[in-house]
Amino acid sequence: MVIENDFFSSNNTVNKISEDETLKLANYLELVKAFARTTYSSIYIIDYEKKGFEYVSENPLFLCDHTPEEVQELGYAFYFKYVVKEDLDLLLKINTIGFDFYQNIPLEERIHHTISYDFRLRNPSGKTFLVNQKLTPIFLTNDGKIWKSICIISLSSELQSGNIKIYKKGENKIFSYDLEGNFWKTEEKITLTSREKEVLQYSIRGFTIANMAESMFVSVDTIKFHKRKLFTKLGVGNIAEAIAYATSNKLI
């Protein structure tokens, strides 16, 4: 049976924060709150010393009809209440393999990595929906343990839970976890051509294919060609899925 403490790895036990570590905080939460006001994504901060949530934004996606204060008070109990049972076990596995991965990263590089994965939430009305979470360390202890992490929640562009990936700032490679084989593999990050980015950008603005062709000084058939290539490259079936995938994976 999974319990809350299972989410706090012995590899990342934070027992006491020193005075100089505390000074790193300054007024960082004000910056997080300002960021939360500019995005549709839900945001929360995990404090690994206190084993709970330090901050939860007002953005409703993650709240499951609660107030931010209620979710913050629930902390990890929120997962037990609203994460689908099978995905709760998945989150525990991600927690374990994620901290194991971080143990093998040079101390000075740990803060430059982000782990991304998808899991299902079930709100009080019984509706189940798939979300993507990106977790990035924002403060480390002097010995390299993750003290605080920021979590960004958005609707997932995938079809099922899992899709565990680790990105490093400034690198094009992605570490992807194979759940069936239980191992990490390295992949190249997808890159888009300038035309493919234009198609996405115009689509976000609501342009039709004819509008795009006129604005880009190309034929309608050329736009259709770039859209087909884009869909194949991203593994999606329509422009809405392409936009969701591209924005979630920071391709535009």
Side-chain angles (χ1 to χ4, degrees):
M1 178 180 173
V2 180
I3 60 174
E4 288 183 43
N5 272 341
D6 290 338
F7 285 95
F8 296 92
S9 169
S10 59
N11 287 336
N12 195 70
T13 301
V14 181
N15 293 314
K16 187 177 180 181
I17 300 300
S18 66
E19 184 176 348
D20 67 305
E21 288 169 333
T22 302
L23 290 174
K24 296 177 185 177
L25 294 183
N27 293 318
Y28 90 97
L29 271 182
E30 294 306 313
L31 296 176
V32 175
K33 292 174 184 177
F35 172 56
R37 293 194 294 271
T38 68
T39 178
Y40 292 109
S41 300
S42 294
I43 299 171
Y44 67 105
I45 303 289
I46 297 175
D47 185 317
Y48 290 96
E49 182 205 13
K50 296 178 180 177
K51 298 185 177 181
F53 299 164
E54 182 177 23
Y55 166 77
V56 178
S57 74
E58 295 179 357
N59 311 47
L61 176 63
F62 182 63
L63 300 180
C64 291
D65 298 341
H66 284 283
T67 66
E69 293 76 19
E70 289 170 339
V71 175
Q72 187 173 343
E73 179 66 26
L74 282 168
Y76 272 73
F78 174 87
Y79 296 152
F80 289 83
K81 192 170 184 178
Y82 294 111
V83 174
V84 173
K85 172 62 174 66
E86 296 82 359
D87 287 4
L88 188 64
D89 295 331
L90 172 67
L91 289 186
L92 182 58
K93 182 178 183 66
I94 292 170
N95 192 73
T96 300
I97 63 173
F99 280 121
D100 287 346
F101 186 98
Y102 270 79
Q103 284 296 110
N104 294 311
I105 299 173
L107 194 147
E108 67 275 8
E109 296 181 10
R110 292 180 182 179
I111 205 161
H112 300 306
H113 289 74
T114 295
I115 186 168
S116 170
Y117 46 88
D118 301 302
F119 62 94
R120 291 169 294 168
L121 289 171
R122 180 177 288 116
N123 65 22
S125 64
K127 180 182 177 182
T128 300
F129 52 102
L130 187 67
V131 297
N132 171 261
Q133 173 157 293
K134 289 181 172 61
L135 184 152
T136 303
I138 51 176
F139 290 106
L140 303 180
T141 62
N142 289 336
D143 59 353
K145 302 290 178 61
I146 299 174
W147 175 16
K148 296 178 189 289
S149 290
I150 185 169
C151 301
I152 312 293
I153 297 279
S154 58
L155 285 173
S156 174
S157 59
E158 300 288 348
L159 299 177
Q160 59 187 13
S161 304
N163 313 302
I164 309 160
K165 298 176 181 179
I166 289 181
Y167 306 81
K168 182 184 177 184
K169 176 184 175 183
E171 290 192 0
N172 285 327
K173 67 180 178 181
I174 299 170
F175 299 97
S176 178
Y177 193 79
D178 187 310
L179 281 167
E180 292 186 3
N182 290 314
F183 62 88
W184 290 99
K185 55 187 178 182
T186 305
E187 302 174 352
E188 290 295 319
K189 185 178 179 180
I190 293 173
T191 56
L192 302 180
T193 65
S194 58
R195 283 300 195 199
E196 289 164 349
K197 291 178 181 179
E198 279 187 284
V199 168
L200 284 169
Q201 290 161 353
Y202 279 120
S203 297
I204 290 170
R205 294 168 61 188
F207 278 47
T208 64
I209 290 178
N211 294 150
M212 288 185 213
E214 183 179 354
S215 297
M216 294 164 65
F217 303 105
V218 297
S219 69
V220 166
D221 285 341
T222 297
I223 299 298
K224 290 180 179 178
F225 168 76
H226 287 301
K227 286 184 74 172
R228 286 195 300 270
K229 280 187 61 182
L230 179 64
F231 293 172
T232 299
K233 186 179 287 188
L234 301 185
V236 300
N238 56 58
I239 195 63
E241 292 177 355
I243 291 169
Y245 185 97
T247 52
S248 177
N249 289 278
K250 297 192 286 187
L251 300 180
I252 53 172

